[in-house]
Amino acid sequence: MHTSISEILKEKSLKPSRRSLPCLAQSQTHPINLNHFLSVPLSPEPKPEVEVLSQGISTSCSLLPPQTAEDGKDHYTEESEVTTCETRADESFLLRKPSTRVKLEARTDSLKGKNPADSSGLFFRDGKKRIDYILVYKKSSPQVEKRCTFEKNLRAEGLMLEKEPSLTNNDIMFVKVHAPWDTLCKYAEQMNIRMPFRKKCYFKDWKSKTLSSRFHRRCCQMKSWLPRNPMKLDKEALPDLEETDCYTAPFSRARMHHFTISNRHTFFSNSTRSRIVHHVLQRTKYEDGKPKMGINRLLGNNTFEAAFPPHEGGYKSRHPIKTHGPQNHRHLLYERWARWGMWYKYQPLDLIRRYFGEKIGLYFAWLGWYTGMLIPAALVGVFVFLYGLFTMDSSQVSKEICEANTTIMCPMCEETCDPWTLSDSCVYAKVTHLFDNGGTVFFAIFMAIWATVFLEFWKRRRAELTYDWDLIDWEEEEEELRPQFEAKYSRVERVNPISGKPEPFQPFSDKLSRLMVSVSGIFFMISLVLTAVFAVVVFRLIVMEKFASFNWKFVKKNWQFATSGTGVCINFMIIMSLNVVYEKVAYLLTNLEHPRTESEWENSFALKMFLFQFVNLNSSTFYIAFFLGRFAGRPGKYNKLFNRWRLEECHPSGCLIDLCLQMGVIMFFKQIWNNFMELGYPLLQNWWSRRKIKKGGGGGGPNVENKAQLPQWDKDWNLQPMNAHGLVDEYLEMVLQFGFTTIFVAAFPLAPLLALLNNIIEIRLDAYKFVTQWRRPMPARATDIGIWHGILEGIGVLAVITNAFVIAITSDYIPRFVYAFKYGPCMDKGHHHEDECLRGYMNSSLSVFDMGTNSNQSRYCRYRDYRAPPWSSVPYEFTLQFWHVLAARLAFIIVFEVCHNSPSLFCVLTSKVSS
């Protein structure tokens, strides 16, 4: 048995926490109708059918002497065990089912009249011992000896086991695990679990002694007359959150009389009990004389099929919660959190943390905080969009484009395309103004500051939660080695400088070589993404010529939309296809590195998944933002790809509309797909499992057609397990959305609004999934969101840089600004209205090309660039205006970066200029 380092510190003095923590152990804090789950019911007389069933079911493990616990009251001898350990030669006996199926059906019928606590599946058959953990194995599994040794060692550690056959599958056997009081106390002391400390549980109302106490009471009375905030949680609806204040300290058996122990059965919460049992399961050997241990390795070699803590009963009730109260914490979470009708309510984070653990509680706290911070960003984005909508018809640039009936533009292809008039793109120009207007610069500056403020405020919010949840003095436990790492490097050992014990060691040369292979794999996958982007670029060049010379007049007139739309759809399908490949490659490369611990594996896998999907999602967007139309050349000297296809040009009104279309389509469809995979796929899987049960596909009889008749362990087994990657997929989806919302937000002001609407749905989807569709995950502790915080900071820095380049390079804001104050009618006349200063801008931004003599059409055509006309002394060379625009773009990038890093006079000047 592995001994934790904290076991050495048994006799250290009690150190109360620095704050007043809610007493989680008070029995009066539980909901009204939780008494039949949390109290100890009377032990019913054993049914004859159950006793015969227990003796008829043969297992392969030997019986150990019963352990003593709770002052001799918890003597227990497992009835389903036989006196000898069977070998694999008895496999035919293990698989014999018909003789027991009739008794299973009889037992199912007898459960209808038993104690509710017994039939609910939350207790052992005696109705007293609470089930803290469930182990699932197949009777046909060949790993009998390992399982026998593991169960024997679990009993030696003080745990109690009871076996129960599945009512839905003849080959499945459940092992119910219970931790008695002495075992809980022993490991709570070793794990330094903080519990309520009686001597510090007091409160002084110092406000009553102040001079303003009467005024304070009057204000509270007036406040009570006002209508309640609909978003806040009602304390009457959540009685479990009505807690008293007290200090906490690490549990100590020697000083047990100091702790608030009003009821032994409720002193340790259900999540704490499951965490203690999981701690024992991870550190229990399964082979005598060998250091191999842990439930994770047994799950890996198929000794056990699953291991999970049970849910606290059903999440639905026949009676309304307002009149009869909640049946259990799961029912309370469903009614006050996971239902769609609660979408506008604050999340009950304390209850989430108590049921699922601090790690999942921090995820929902971060998700809720991120969603709340999106509200001001979405409002500002909507105002910028509405400003562009209301000024669309009055925009001087749009007017000039729509009225340019005589301006002939150069052909889009050289063989089958004809010249076209600038007024044909009137709609295109008006749509561009929706996103590229005077408010774009202000919104980009606002979002750059918003990203930084969001991260800083989250640090503050996380510190508050860490303080409230008494995690300030908590440190990560010494993690056990991954089974794969131990199996790979068990031959080479060295002494751990912290624990002083020998452990497997990975040589530096081996670690470096594996890391180089992993990095090479990452670069290969990134190159694959760039290849896919290049393929999309070639596709756009091909269809651009086809649409520009299309026989259908509608398509020929709107070839820009057709080219961008088809390119975005093809790109989205490539993105979703490659995401499936990336997950498998990231999993393979992470396992190839052989990380030492589970946290190292999770961080390495998360980083690879983020790099793969971030490049996959944003590579085409970067191309459109910074490369589209920059290297196309000019008429008469176009740059061609493979000497065949002419590179794509920007529209006369700019390339920003292409970037906006790219972001809008990908963001909208990706969110729909993610929501379907998160909720729709588990619903389909669970529906298929229920259908198999009803049809008897799992070996169930006619008495298990009603799901309500199944015990809790069978119901949980039929649910989907939590994602094998933990919260990696949940964080990854939100972090990628954060990047999409901030990096190119200047081109798509509605991105925060779409993210806000998606997150409102996402919170309820995740809540519904955790409460109803997934097995209860292992409650784990954490003090922050891990590696994701560093990734968010990196995205925030990248967002400032990209938004500066989007406004300076992709947007037409800088060329319009230079024209208005250097070449337009307002030159040397002071500041006038924007529309007056932009008169003649389109004519100034279009250059002239000589197509040669042709009687059927005009000799000259226009194209978007700043070049000298063909009749000048230096034809087709860059004009002075081109260099002025380039200098202004570089200056804006510098000012934007300085404004973000040090908000000072530069910010004021930039905001005035943008207005």
Side-chain angles (χ1 to χ4, degrees), residues 67 72 79 116 143 240 317 321 477 525 563 642 731 755 786 793:
Q67 304 292 328
E79 298 141 334
Q143 307 289 349
D240 195 62
S317 175
I321 191 173
E477 295 179 356
M525 295 305 299
T563 302
F642 303 131
Y731 276 116
E793 289 182 338

Side-chain angles (χ1 to χ4, degrees), residues 199-231:
K199 287 189 176 180
K200 297 297 181 180
C201 195
Y202 62 88
F203 180 75
K204 294 181 179 179
D205 190 7
W206 59 272
K207 290 185 179 181
S208 61
K209 298 181 181 181
T210 60
L211 296 177
S212 60
S213 59
R214 184 176 301 176
F215 176 76
H216 180 73
R217 289 196 297 269
R218 293 291 185 184
C219 291
C220 293
Q221 184 178 5
M222 294 178 62
K223 188 177 180 180
S224 63
W225 296 340
L226 298 176
R228 295 181 179 179
N229 187 347
M231 298 184 68

Side-chain angles (χ1 to χ4, degrees), residues 350-367:
D350 289 333
L351 189 59
I352 298 171
R353 165 245 181 169
R354 186 176 309 171
Y355 193 82
F356 293 109
E358 286 80 359
K359 190 172 184 178
I360 295 178
L362 277 173
Y363 164 71
F364 282 104
W366 176 83
L367 181 57

Side-chain angles (χ1 to χ4, degrees), residues 36-96:
H36 68 280
F37 288 108
L38 301 179
S39 61
V40 182
L42 296 177
S43 176
E45 292 296 329
K47 298 285 183 179
E49 297 86 354
V50 177
E51 186 174 357
V52 174
L53 172 66
S54 305
Q55 297 172 357
I57 298 173
S58 175
T59 63
S60 56
C61 303
S62 60
L63 180 66
L64 291 178
Q67 304 292 328
T68 60
E70 295 189 15
D71 301 329
K73 294 181 180 180
D74 284 337
H75 291 283
Y76 176 72
T77 303
E78 188 177 339
E79 298 141 334
S80 63
E81 299 291 349
V82 292
T83 57
T84 59
C85 184
E86 297 175 356
T87 62
R88 286 301 302 154
D90 298 323
E91 183 177 0
S92 60
F93 182 74
L94 290 174
L95 298 177
R96 191 168 55 203

Side-chain angles (χ1 to χ4, degrees), residues 18 29 31 37 85 113 184 308 413 479 552 587 597 680 767 837:
R18 292 191 288 263
T29 63
F37 288 108
C85 184
L184 292 173
F308 51 88
C413 55
E479 289 190 86
W552 190 7
Y587 191 83
T597 60
C837 297

